[in-house]
Amino acid sequence: MLSKQQKNRGIVFTLTSIIEGFLVILVVALLLWFSLSRIMEIHVSVEENLNERHSIILANALISNENIVYIKDGKILRGVLDAEKLDKLFIKKSDFLSNIKLLTSDVDLGISYPNSIIIVLVLDLEKCNNNDCDGWIVRLRSPLSLSGISLFNFMDCLNSNIKVDVGTIFRFFLAPPLGGLWQPWDIDKCVKNNIPPSFKSFFNKNRISSQGFPILIKYKDSIHVGRIFVGLGEFI
Amino acid sequence: MQENVWKGLAASDTIGILLVILTTIFFLVYILPTLFSTIIETLARSSPENVARQVSSLISSSTISTFESRIEYSPGKDKEYKIEIFDRIVKVGIKSKLAYAEKTESKKPILIDLSYKGEDVNTFIISKKFEGVSNYAFEATKK
């Protein structure tokens, strides 16, 4: 049988071990807090096909746009394009090949993304001959916005992520001479967030055109089934 | 007798160490990843990059409405942003007290002409009304 004193000694040893252990956890937690508040910086990079997303939004906006959509009693009939308005604003697809107007002139419908080349194609699926359908085509006017140019945004991003610390010395030897100023993931983030997919697709063969949206085309006395396609490419 | 005392002490030590090891494993396996994923998720959702993308997409998507629409977007009650809309570009920056959140601004394109400048805001409201022509309005407030 153990004496009372010896039993107490055992309990004291157990408590000491637990307290020591918890102190270790506290030190780890403090190191974590220090790393979070002083060293670590969380960067957000988004991987998506921005051109695809933009062309889907633009196609949706176009089939609600009052400049080309059929309006009845002051109400926009979404998805029903007015053939008369298309004749006025767009170029007939059959005239397109013999007319270079598409390359030189553009149309302002009040909606378009800046710094982009945007081609809109409307096909009448009930006027087809040997898989070649009649329709309209146009280049949308895209305003130039200097501050929106991807290359400037990319430079801005790099500029705001310059790191001068102890790691610079190592990075300088790994990727001389300018690579030393950035962490590799900073450069990766700036490319992902700022370089448009139309440029990146030259390197990775991404598809950048939408599959098109189903529409109706309202002629004077009939309605045809059709499809609208939006091709979009941002400047670098 | 003395031998038994040392055995008892060694057993107590082992129990103590085991308890600490179990707590540490629980901390490393459950609490730490949860903490990190929560931090990363919160920061990703409220980052200027994401907010600029959301605001630009919502402004552009408001053109889809054929009559009247009102879109309200609030990325976080405890966050404060500065926003500027010009030349069909949305520029968003964050005022964050968190050291580990990045401070860079983000710019994203929009479909329509709007002009706006605001600071210390966390709620963005986009309205559209069609009365023969489409009219758009944008405002940002602190809620």
Coordinates of all heavy atoms in Angstrom, one line a residue, chain A residues 1-2 6 9-10 13-14 17-18 21-22 25 32 36-37 40-44 46 48 50 53-54 57-58 60-61 64 66 74 76 78 110-114 143 145 147-148 153 156 160-161 189 193, chain B residues 1 4-5 9 12-13 16-17 19-20 23-24 27 32 35-36 39-40 43-44 47 49 53 57 60-61 63-64 66 86-89 99-102 104 107-112 130 132-134:
Chain A
M1 N 0.8 -1.2 0.0 CA 0.0 0.0 0.0 C 0.9 1.2 0.0 O 1.9 1.3 0.7 CB -0.9 0.0 1.3 CG -2.0 -1.0 1.3 SD -3.2 -0.6 0.1 CE -4.1 0.6 1.0
L2 N 0.5 2.2 -0.8 CA 1.2 3.5 -0.9 C 0.8 4.4 0.2 O -0.4 4.5 0.6 CB 1.0 4.2 -2.2 CG 1.6 3.5 -3.5 CD1 1.1 4.2 -4.7 CD2 3.1 3.5 -3.4
Q6 N 3.0 9.6 -0.8 CA 3.4 9.1 -2.1 C 2.3 9.2 -3.2 O 2.6 9.5 -4.4 CB 3.8 7.6 -2.0 CG 5.2 7.5 -1.4 CD 5.4 6.1 -0.8 OE1 4.4 5.4 -0.5 NE2 6.7 5.8 -0.6
R9 N 2.2 12.7 -4.5 CA 3.3 13.0 -5.4 C 3.0 12.6 -6.8 O 3.3 13.3 -7.8 CB 4.6 12.3 -4.9 CG 5.9 12.9 -5.3 CD 7.1 12.1 -5.1 NE 7.4 12.1 -3.7 CZ 8.4 11.4 -3.2 NH1 9.1 10.6 -3.9 NH2 8.7 11.5 -1.9
G10 N 2.3 11.5 -6.9 CA 1.9 11.0 -8.2 C 0.9 12.0 -8.9 O 1.1 12.3 -10.1
F13 N 2.8 15.0 -10.1 CA 3.5 14.7 -11.4 C 2.5 14.8 -12.6 O 2.9 15.3 -13.6 CB 4.2 13.4 -11.3 CG 5.6 13.5 -10.8 CD1 5.9 13.4 -9.5 CD2 6.6 13.8 -11.7 CE1 7.2 13.5 -9.0 CE2 7.9 14.0 -11.3 CZ 8.3 13.8 -9.9
T14 N 1.3 14.2 -12.4 CA 0.4 14.2 -13.5 C 0.0 15.6 -13.9 O 0.0 15.9 -15.1 CB -0.9 13.4 -13.1 OG1 -0.5 12.2 -12.5 CG2 -1.8 13.1 -14.3
S17 N 2.7 17.4 -15.8 CA 2.8 16.9 -17.2 C 1.7 17.6 -18.0 O 2.0 18.1 -19.1 CB 2.6 15.4 -17.3 OG 3.6 14.8 -16.5
I18 N 0.5 17.6 -17.5 CA -0.7 18.2 -18.2 C -0.4 19.7 -18.5 O -0.5 20.2 -19.6 CB -2.0 18.0 -17.5 CG1 -2.3 16.5 -17.5 CG2 -3.1 18.8 -18.1 CD1 -3.5 16.1 -16.7
G21 N 2.2 20.2 -21.0 CA 1.7 20.0 -22.4 C 0.8 21.1 -22.9 O 1.0 21.5 -24.0
F22 N 0.0 21.6 -22.0 CA -0.9 22.8 -22.4 C 0.0 24.0 -22.7 O -0.4 24.8 -23.6 CB -1.9 23.1 -21.4 CG -3.1 22.1 -21.5 CD1 -3.5 21.3 -20.4 CD2 -3.8 22.0 -22.7 CE1 -4.6 20.4 -20.5 CE2 -4.9 21.1 -22.8 CZ -5.2 20.3 -21.7
I25 N 1.1 23.6 -26.2 CA 0.0 24.0 -27.1 C -0.2 25.5 -27.2 O -0.4 26.1 -28.3 CB -1.3 23.3 -26.7 CG1 -1.2 21.8 -26.8 CG2 -2.5 23.8 -27.5 CD1 -2.4 21.0 -26.3
L32 N 1.2 30.5 -34.1 CA 0.3 30.5 -35.2 C -0.3 31.9 -35.3 O -0.4 32.5 -36.4 CB -0.9 29.5 -34.9 CG -1.9 29.3 -36.0 CD1 -1.3 28.6 -37.2 CD2 -3.1 28.5 -35.5
L36 N 0.0 34.4 -38.4 CA -1.2 35.0 -39.1 C -1.2 36.5 -39.1 O -1.6 37.1 -40.1 CB -2.5 34.5 -38.4 CG -3.0 33.1 -38.7 CD1 -4.2 32.8 -37.8 CD2 -3.5 33.1 -40.2
S37 N -0.8 37.1 -38.0 CA -0.9 38.5 -37.9 C 0.3 39.3 -38.4 O 0.3 40.5 -38.7 CB -1.1 38.9 -36.4 OG -0.1 38.5 -35.6
M40 N 2.0 35.9 -42.4 CA 1.2 35.3 -43.5 C 0.3 36.3 -44.1 O -0.2 37.3 -43.5 CB 0.3 34.2 -42.9 CG -0.2 33.2 -43.9 SD -0.9 31.8 -43.1 CE -2.6 32.3 -42.9
E41 N 0.0 36.2 -45.4 CA -0.9 37.0 -46.1 C -1.7 36.1 -47.1 O -1.0 35.4 -47.9 CB -0.2 38.2 -46.9 CG -1.2 39.2 -47.4 CD -0.5 40.4 -48.1 OE1 -0.1 41.3 -47.4 OE2 -0.3 40.3 -49.3
I42 N -3.0 36.1 -47.0 CA -3.8 35.2 -47.8 C -4.2 35.9 -49.1 O -4.7 37.0 -49.1 CB -5.0 34.7 -47.1 CG1 -4.6 33.9 -45.9 CG2 -5.9 33.9 -48.0 CD1 -5.7 33.5 -44.9
H43 N -3.8 35.3 -50.3 CA -4.1 35.9 -51.6 C -5.3 35.1 -52.2 O -5.4 33.9 -52.0 CB -2.9 35.8 -52.5 CG -1.8 36.7 -52.0 ND1 -1.6 37.9 -52.4 CD2 -0.8 36.4 -51.1 CE1 -0.5 38.4 -51.8 NE2 0.0 37.5 -51.0
V44 N -6.1 35.9 -52.9 CA -7.2 35.2 -53.6 C -7.0 35.2 -55.1 O -6.8 36.3 -55.7 CB -8.5 35.9 -53.2 CG1 -9.7 35.3 -54.0 CG2 -8.7 35.9 -51.7
V46 N -8.7 33.7 -58.7 CA -9.9 33.0 -59.2 C -9.6 32.4 -60.6 O -9.0 33.1 -61.5 CB -11.0 34.1 -59.4 CG1 -12.3 33.4 -59.9 CG2 -11.3 34.8 -58.1
E48 N -11.3 31.0 -63.7 CA -12.5 30.9 -64.5 C -12.3 31.3 -65.9 O -11.4 32.1 -66.1 CB -13.7 31.7 -63.8 CG -13.4 33.2 -63.9 CD -14.7 34.0 -63.5 OE1 -15.7 33.4 -63.3 OE2 -14.5 35.2 -63.3
L50 N -13.3 33.8 -68.0 CA -14.0 35.1 -67.9 C -14.7 35.5 -69.2 O -15.8 36.0 -69.2 CB -13.0 36.2 -67.5 CG -13.6 37.5 -66.9 CD1 -14.2 37.1 -65.5 CD2 -12.5 38.5 -66.7
R53 N -17.9 33.6 -69.4 CA -18.9 34.2 -68.5 C -19.4 35.6 -69.0 O -20.6 35.8 -69.0 CB -18.2 34.5 -67.1 CG -19.0 35.1 -66.1 CD -18.3 35.1 -64.8 NE -19.0 35.9 -63.8 CZ -18.8 35.8 -62.5 NH1 -18.0 34.9 -62.0 NH2 -19.4 36.5 -61.6
H54 N -18.5 36.4 -69.6 CA -18.9 37.7 -70.1 C -19.8 37.5 -71.4 O -20.7 38.2 -71.6 CB -17.6 38.5 -70.5 CG -17.0 39.1 -69.3 ND1 -15.8 39.8 -69.4 CD2 -17.4 39.2 -68.1 CE1 -15.5 40.3 -68.2 NE2 -16.5 39.9 -67.4
I57 N -23.3 36.5 -70.2 CA -24.0 37.7 -69.7 C -24.4 38.6 -70.8 O -25.6 39.1 -70.9 CB -23.1 38.4 -68.6 CG1 -22.9 37.6 -67.4 CG2 -23.8 39.8 -68.2 CD1 -22.0 38.2 -66.3
L58 N -23.5 38.9 -71.7 CA -23.8 39.8 -72.9 C -24.9 39.2 -73.7 O -25.8 40.0 -74.2 CB -22.5 40.0 -73.7 CG -22.6 41.0 -74.8 CD1 -23.2 42.3 -74.4 CD2 -21.3 41.2 -75.5
N60 N -27.3 37.2 -72.8 CA -28.5 37.4 -72.1 C -29.0 38.8 -72.1 O -30.2 39.1 -72.2 CB -28.2 37.0 -70.6 CG -28.7 35.6 -70.3 OD1 -29.9 35.3 -70.5 ND2 -27.9 34.7 -69.9
A61 N -28.0 39.8 -72.0 CA -28.4 41.2 -72.0 C -28.9 41.6 -73.4 O -29.9 42.4 -73.5 CB -27.2 42.1 -71.7
S64 N -32.5 41.0 -74.2 CA -33.5 41.8 -73.5 C -33.3 43.3 -73.9 O -33.9 44.2 -73.3 CB -33.2 41.8 -72.0 OG -33.5 40.5 -71.5
E66 N -33.6 46.7 -75.7 CA -34.7 47.4 -76.4 C -34.4 47.7 -77.9 O -35.3 47.9 -78.7 CB -35.2 48.6 -75.6 CG -34.2 49.7 -75.4 CD -33.5 49.7 -74.1 OE1 -33.3 48.5 -73.6 OE2 -33.1 50.7 -73.6
G74 N -45.4 48.6 -75.3 CA -44.4 49.2 -74.3 C -43.7 48.2 -73.5 O -42.9 48.5 -72.5
I76 N -41.1 44.8 -73.2 CA -40.0 44.1 -74.0 C -40.4 42.6 -73.9 O -40.6 42.0 -72.9 CB -38.7 44.3 -73.3 CG1 -38.2 45.7 -73.5 CG2 -37.6 43.3 -73.8 CD1 -36.9 46.1 -72.7
R78 N -38.8 39.5 -74.1 CA -37.4 38.9 -74.0 C -37.2 37.7 -74.8 O -38.1 36.8 -74.8 CB -37.1 38.6 -72.5 CG -35.8 38.0 -72.2 CD -35.5 37.8 -70.8 NE -34.6 36.7 -70.5 CZ -33.3 36.8 -70.7 NH1 -32.7 37.9 -71.1 NH2 -32.6 35.7 -70.4
G110 N -25.6 50.4 -76.6 CA -25.6 50.9 -75.2 C -25.0 49.9 -74.2 O -24.9 50.2 -73.0
I111 N -24.8 48.7 -74.7 CA -24.2 47.6 -73.8 C -23.0 46.9 -74.5 O -23.2 46.5 -75.7 CB -25.2 46.6 -73.4 CG1 -26.0 46.0 -74.6 CG2 -26.2 47.1 -72.3 CD1 -26.8 44.8 -74.3
S112 N -21.9 46.9 -73.8 CA -20.7 46.1 -74.3 C -19.6 46.2 -73.3 O -19.6 47.2 -72.5 CB -20.3 46.6 -75.7 OG -19.6 47.8 -75.6
Y113 N -18.7 45.3 -73.3 CA -17.6 45.4 -72.4 C -16.5 46.2 -73.0 O -16.3 46.2 -74.2 CB -17.0 44.0 -72.1 CG -17.9 43.2 -71.2 CD1 -18.7 42.1 -71.6 CD2 -17.9 43.4 -69.8 CE1 -19.5 41.4 -70.8 CE2 -18.7 42.7 -68.9 CZ -19.5 41.7 -69.4 OH -20.3 41.0 -68.6
P114 N -15.8 47.0 -72.1 CA -14.7 47.8 -72.6 C -13.5 47.0 -73.1 O -13.4 45.8 -72.6 CB -14.4 48.7 -71.5 CG -14.7 48.0 -70.3 CD -15.9 47.1 -70.7
P143 N -16.0 50.6 -75.8 CA -15.2 51.8 -75.5 C -13.8 51.4 -75.0 O -13.6 50.3 -74.4 CB -16.0 52.4 -74.4 CG -16.9 51.4 -73.9 CD -17.1 50.4 -74.9
S145 N -10.9 51.8 -72.4 CA -10.7 52.3 -71.1 C -9.3 52.0 -70.7 O -8.9 50.8 -70.5 CB -11.7 51.6 -70.1 OG -11.3 51.8 -68.8
S147 N -7.6 52.5 -68.0 CA -7.4 51.9 -66.7 C -7.9 50.5 -66.6 O -7.6 49.8 -65.7 CB -8.1 52.8 -65.6 OG -9.5 52.8 -65.8
G148 N -8.7 50.1 -67.6 CA -9.2 48.7 -67.6 C -8.3 47.8 -68.4 O -8.6 46.6 -68.5
N153 N -3.4 46.4 -65.4 CA -3.9 45.8 -64.2 C -2.9 44.8 -63.7 O -2.6 44.7 -62.5 CB -5.2 45.1 -64.4 CG -6.3 46.1 -64.7 OD1 -6.2 47.3 -64.4 ND2 -7.4 45.6 -65.2
D156 N -0.1 46.7 -62.2 CA -0.5 47.2 -60.9 C -0.4 46.1 -59.8 O 0.0 46.3 -58.7 CB -2.0 47.6 -61.0 CG -2.1 49.1 -61.4 OD1 -1.0 49.7 -61.5 OD2 -3.2 49.6 -61.6
S160 N 1.9 46.0 -56.5 CA 1.4 46.0 -55.1 C 1.8 44.7 -54.4 O 1.5 44.6 -53.2 CB -0.1 46.1 -55.1 OG -0.7 45.1 -55.8
N161 N 2.4 43.8 -55.0 CA 2.9 42.6 -54.4 C 4.4 42.4 -54.2 O 4.8 41.3 -53.9 CB 2.3 41.4 -55.1 CG 0.8 41.1 -54.8 OD1 0.5 40.7 -53.7 ND2 0.0 41.4 -55.7
K189 N -1.0 34.5 -59.1 CA -2.2 35.2 -58.8 C -2.5 36.3 -59.8 O -3.6 36.5 -60.3 CB -2.2 35.7 -57.4 CG -3.5 36.4 -57.0 CD -3.3 37.3 -55.8 CE -2.5 38.5 -56.1 NZ -2.5 39.5 -55.0
N193 N -5.7 36.4 -62.2 CA -6.8 37.5 -62.0 C -6.8 38.5 -63.1 O -7.8 39.2 -63.2 CB -6.6 38.1 -60.6 CG -6.9 37.2 -59.5 OD1 -7.5 36.1 -59.7 ND2 -6.6 37.6 -58.3
Chain B
M1 N 8.7 -2.0 -2.1 CA 7.8 -0.8 -1.7 C 8.2 0.4 -2.6 O 7.4 1.0 -3.2 CB 8.0 -0.5 -0.2 CG 7.0 0.5 0.3 SD 5.3 -0.2 0.3 CE 4.5 1.1 1.1
N4 N 7.3 0.1 -6.2 CA 5.9 0.4 -6.5 C 5.6 1.9 -6.6 O 4.8 2.3 -7.5 CB 5.0 -0.2 -5.4 CG 4.9 -1.7 -5.6 OD1 5.2 -2.2 -6.7 ND2 4.6 -2.4 -4.5
V5 N 6.3 2.7 -5.8 CA 6.1 4.1 -5.8 C 6.5 4.7 -7.2 O 5.8 5.4 -7.8 CB 6.9 4.8 -4.7 CG1 6.8 6.3 -4.8 CG2 6.3 4.4 -3.3
L9 N 4.3 6.6 -10.2 CA 4.7 7.9 -10.7 C 4.8 7.8 -12.2 O 4.4 8.7 -12.9 CB 6.0 8.4 -10.1 CG 6.0 8.8 -8.6 CD1 7.4 9.1 -8.2 CD2 5.0 9.9 -8.4
S12 N 1.4 7.8 -13.8 CA 0.7 9.1 -13.8 C 1.3 10.0 -14.9 O 0.6 10.7 -15.6 CB 1.0 9.8 -12.5 OG 0.8 8.9 -11.4
D13 N 2.6 9.9 -15.1 CA 3.3 10.7 -16.1 C 2.8 10.3 -17.5 O 2.5 11.1 -18.3 CB 4.8 10.5 -16.1 CG 5.5 11.6 -15.4 OD1 4.8 12.6 -15.0 OD2 6.8 11.6 -15.3
G16 N -0.7 11.7 -18.1 CA -0.6 13.1 -18.4 C -0.1 13.3 -19.9 O -0.7 14.1 -20.6
I17 N 1.0 12.6 -20.2 CA 1.5 12.8 -21.6 C 0.5 12.4 -22.7 O 0.3 13.0 -23.7 CB 2.8 12.0 -21.8 CG1 3.9 12.8 -20.9 CG2 3.3 12.0 -23.2 CD1 5.1 11.9 -20.6
L19 N -2.8 12.4 -22.4 CA -3.8 13.4 -22.4 C -3.4 14.6 -23.3 O -4.1 15.1 -24.2 CB -4.1 14.0 -21.0 CG -5.2 13.2 -20.3 CD1 -5.3 13.8 -18.9 CD2 -6.6 13.3 -21.0
V20 N -2.1 15.0 -23.1 CA -1.6 16.1 -23.9 C -1.5 15.8 -25.4 O -1.9 16.5 -26.3 CB -0.2 16.6 -23.4 CG1 0.4 17.6 -24.3 CG2 -0.4 17.2 -22.0
T23 N -5.0 15.8 -26.9 CA -5.4 17.2 -27.1 C -4.7 17.8 -28.3 O -5.4 18.5 -29.1 CB -5.1 18.0 -25.8 OG1 -5.4 17.3 -24.7 CG2 -5.9 19.3 -25.8
T24 N -3.4 17.5 -28.4 CA -2.7 18.1 -29.5 C -3.2 17.5 -30.9 O -3.4 18.3 -31.8 CB -1.2 17.8 -29.4 OG1 -0.8 18.1 -28.1 CG2 -0.3 18.6 -30.4
F27 N -6.4 19.1 -31.7 CA -6.1 20.5 -32.1 C -5.6 20.5 -33.6 O -6.1 21.3 -34.4 CB -5.1 21.1 -31.2 CG -4.7 22.6 -31.5 CD1 -5.6 23.6 -31.1 CD2 -3.6 22.9 -32.1 CE1 -5.3 24.9 -31.4 CE2 -3.2 24.2 -32.4 CZ -4.1 25.2 -32.0
L32 N -7.4 23.2 -36.0 CA -6.5 24.0 -36.9 C -7.1 24.0 -38.4 O -7.2 25.1 -38.9 CB -5.1 23.4 -36.9 CG -4.0 24.4 -37.2 CD1 -4.0 25.5 -36.2 CD2 -2.7 23.7 -37.1
L35 N -10.2 26.1 -38.5 CA -9.8 27.5 -38.3 C -9.3 28.1 -39.6 O -9.7 29.2 -40.1 CB -8.8 27.7 -37.2 CG -8.3 29.1 -36.9 CD1 -9.3 29.8 -36.1 CD2 -6.9 29.0 -36.1
F36 N -8.3 27.4 -40.2 CA -7.7 27.8 -41.5 C -8.8 27.9 -42.6 O -8.8 28.9 -43.3 CB -6.6 26.9 -41.9 CG -5.3 27.3 -41.4 CD1 -4.5 26.5 -40.6 CD2 -4.8 28.6 -41.7 CE1 -3.3 26.9 -40.1 CE2 -3.5 29.0 -41.2 CZ -2.8 28.1 -40.4
I39 N -11.0 30.9 -42.0 CA -10.3 32.2 -42.4 C -10.2 32.4 -43.9 O -10.6 33.4 -44.4 CB -8.9 32.2 -41.7 CG1 -9.0 32.3 -40.2 CG2 -8.1 33.3 -42.3 CD1 -7.7 32.2 -39.5
I40 N -9.8 31.3 -44.6 CA -9.6 31.4 -46.0 C -10.9 31.6 -46.7 O -11.0 32.5 -47.6 CB -8.9 30.1 -46.5 CG1 -7.4 30.2 -46.0 CG2 -8.9 30.1 -48.1 CD1 -6.7 28.9 -46.2
L43 N -12.1 35.2 -46.1 CA -11.3 36.2 -46.8 C -11.6 36.1 -48.3 O -11.6 37.1 -49.0 CB -9.8 35.9 -46.5 CG -9.3 36.5 -45.2 CD1 -7.9 36.1 -45.0 CD2 -9.5 38.0 -45.1
A44 N -11.7 34.9 -48.8 CA -12.0 34.7 -50.3 C -13.3 35.4 -50.6 O -13.4 36.1 -51.6 CB -12.0 33.3 -50.6
S47 N -13.0 39.2 -50.3 CA -11.8 39.9 -50.9 C -12.2 40.9 -52.0 O -13.2 40.7 -52.7 CB -10.9 38.8 -51.5 OG -11.5 38.3 -52.6
E49 N -11.0 41.2 -54.9 CA -11.1 40.4 -56.2 C -12.5 39.8 -56.4 O -13.1 40.0 -57.4 CB -10.0 39.3 -56.1 CG -9.9 38.5 -57.4 CD -9.5 39.3 -58.6 OE1 -8.7 40.2 -58.5 OE2 -10.0 39.0 -59.7
R53 N -15.6 41.2 -58.8 CA -16.2 40.3 -59.8 C -17.8 40.2 -59.6 O -18.5 40.2 -60.6 CB -15.7 38.9 -59.6 CG -14.4 38.6 -60.4 CD -13.7 37.3 -60.0 NE -12.3 37.4 -60.4 CZ -11.9 36.9 -61.5 NH1 -12.7 36.3 -62.3 NH2 -10.6 37.0 -61.9
S57 N -20.5 41.6 -62.2 CA -21.4 40.7 -62.8 C -22.9 41.1 -62.5 O -23.7 40.9 -63.4 CB -21.2 39.3 -62.3 OG -20.0 38.7 -62.8
S60 N -23.8 44.1 -64.7 CA -24.0 43.6 -66.0 C -25.3 42.8 -66.2 O -26.1 42.9 -67.1 CB -22.8 42.8 -66.5 OG -21.7 43.6 -66.4
S61 N -25.6 41.9 -65.2 CA -26.8 41.1 -65.2 C -28.0 41.9 -65.1 O -29.1 41.4 -65.5 CB -26.7 40.0 -64.1 OG -25.5 39.2 -64.3
T63 N -28.9 44.2 -66.7 CA -29.4 44.6 -68.0 C -30.4 43.6 -68.6 O -31.1 43.8 -69.5 CB -28.3 44.7 -69.0 OG1 -27.6 43.5 -69.0 CG2 -27.3 45.8 -68.6
I64 N -30.4 42.4 -68.0 CA -31.2 41.3 -68.5 C -32.7 41.5 -68.1 O -33.6 41.1 -68.9 CB -30.7 39.9 -67.8 CG1 -29.3 39.6 -68.4 CG2 -31.7 38.8 -68.1 CD1 -28.6 38.6 -67.6
T66 N -36.3 42.9 -67.9 CA -37.1 43.6 -69.0 C -38.0 44.7 -68.5 O -38.5 45.5 -69.3 CB -38.0 42.6 -69.7 OG1 -38.7 41.9 -68.8 CG2 -37.1 41.6 -70.5
F86 N -16.3 53.8 -63.2 CA -15.9 54.8 -64.3 C -15.5 54.1 -65.5 O -15.0 52.9 -65.4 CB -14.8 55.7 -63.8 CG -13.5 55.0 -63.5 CD1 -12.5 54.9 -64.5 CD2 -13.4 54.3 -62.3 CE1 -11.3 54.2 -64.2 CE2 -12.2 53.6 -62.0 CZ -11.2 53.5 -63.0
D87 N -15.7 54.7 -66.7 CA -15.3 54.1 -68.0 C -15.7 52.6 -68.1 O -14.9 51.8 -68.6 CB -13.8 54.2 -68.2 CG -13.3 55.7 -68.3 OD1 -14.2 56.5 -68.5 OD2 -12.1 55.9 -68.2
R88 N -16.8 52.2 -67.7 CA -17.3 50.8 -67.7 C -16.3 49.9 -66.9 O -16.1 48.8 -67.3 CB -17.5 50.3 -69.1 CG -18.7 51.1 -69.8 CD -19.2 50.4 -71.0 NE -20.2 51.2 -71.6 CZ -20.7 51.0 -72.8 NH1 -20.5 49.8 -73.4 NH2 -21.6 51.8 -73.3
I89 N -15.8 50.4 -65.8 CA -14.9 49.6 -65.0 C -15.3 49.8 -63.5 O -15.7 50.9 -63.1 CB -13.4 50.1 -65.1 CG1 -12.9 49.9 -66.5 CG2 -12.5 49.5 -64.1 CD1 -12.5 48.5 -66.9
A99 N -4.4 41.6 -40.7 CA -3.0 41.7 -41.2 C -2.9 40.8 -42.4 O -2.1 41.0 -43.3 CB -2.0 41.5 -40.2
Y100 N -3.5 39.6 -42.3 CA -3.3 38.6 -43.3 C -4.2 38.7 -44.5 O -4.1 37.9 -45.4 CB -3.4 37.2 -42.7 CG -4.6 37.0 -41.8 CD1 -5.8 36.6 -42.3 CD2 -4.5 37.2 -40.4 CE1 -6.9 36.4 -41.5 CE2 -5.6 37.0 -39.6 CZ -6.8 36.6 -40.2 OH -7.9 36.4 -39.4
A101 N -5.0 39.7 -44.6 CA -5.9 39.9 -45.8 C -5.1 40.8 -46.8 O -4.5 41.8 -46.3 CB -7.2 40.6 -45.4
E102 N -5.1 40.5 -48.0 CA -4.4 41.3 -49.0 C -5.0 42.6 -49.2 O -6.3 42.8 -49.1 CB -4.2 40.5 -50.3 CG -5.4 40.2 -51.1 CD -5.1 39.6 -52.4 OE1 -4.0 39.8 -52.9 OE2 -6.0 38.8 -52.9
T104 N -4.7 44.6 -52.0 CA -4.7 45.1 -53.4 C -6.1 45.5 -53.8 O -7.1 44.9 -53.3 CB -4.1 44.0 -54.3 OG1 -4.8 42.8 -54.1 CG2 -2.6 43.8 -54.1
K107 N -10.0 45.5 -60.4 CA -10.8 46.2 -61.4 C -11.4 45.2 -62.4 O -10.7 44.3 -62.8 CB -9.9 47.1 -62.2 CG -9.5 48.4 -61.5 CD -8.8 49.3 -62.4 CE -7.3 49.4 -62.1 NZ -6.5 50.3 -63.0
K108 N -12.7 45.3 -62.6 CA -13.4 44.4 -63.5 C -14.3 45.2 -64.4 O -14.9 46.2 -64.0 CB -14.3 43.4 -62.7 CG -13.5 42.5 -61.8 CD -12.7 41.5 -62.7 CE -11.5 40.9 -61.8 NZ -10.3 40.8 -62.5
P109 N -14.5 44.8 -65.6 CA -15.4 45.5 -66.6 C -16.9 45.3 -66.4 O -17.3 44.2 -65.9 CB -14.9 44.9 -68.0 CG -14.5 43.6 -67.7 CD -13.9 43.6 -66.2
I110 N -17.7 46.3 -66.8 CA -19.1 46.1 -66.8 C -19.7 46.5 -68.1 O -19.0 47.1 -69.0 CB -19.8 47.0 -65.7 CG1 -19.4 48.5 -65.8 CG2 -19.5 46.5 -64.3 CD1 -20.2 49.5 -65.0
L111 N -21.0 46.2 -68.3 CA -21.6 46.3 -69.6 C -22.2 47.7 -69.9 O -22.3 48.1 -71.1 CB -22.8 45.3 -69.7 CG -22.6 43.9 -70.3 CD1 -23.9 43.2 -70.3 CD2 -22.0 44.0 -71.7
I112 N -22.5 48.5 -68.9 CA -23.2 49.7 -69.1 C -22.4 50.9 -68.5 O -21.5 50.7 -67.7 CB -24.6 49.7 -68.4 CG1 -24.5 49.2 -67.0 CG2 -25.6 48.8 -69.2 CD1 -25.7 49.4 -66.2
F130 N -37.2 50.1 -66.8 CA -37.5 50.3 -68.2 C -38.7 51.2 -68.5 O -39.8 50.7 -68.1 CB -37.6 49.0 -69.0 CG -37.9 49.2 -70.5 CD1 -36.9 49.6 -71.3 CD2 -39.1 48.9 -71.0 CE1 -37.2 49.8 -72.7 CE2 -39.4 49.0 -72.3 CZ -38.4 49.5 -73.2
G132 N -39.6 52.9 -71.7 CA -39.2 53.3 -73.1 C -37.7 53.1 -73.4 O -37.3 52.6 -74.4
V133 N -36.9 53.6 -72.4 CA -35.5 53.3 -72.4 C -35.1 52.8 -71.1 O -35.8 53.0 -70.1 CB -34.7 54.6 -72.7 CG1 -34.7 55.1 -74.2 CG2 -35.1 55.8 -71.8
S134 N -33.9 52.1 -71.0 CA -33.5 51.5 -69.8 C -32.7 52.5 -69.0 O -31.8 53.2 -69.5 CB -32.6 50.3 -70.1 OG -33.3 49.3 -70.7

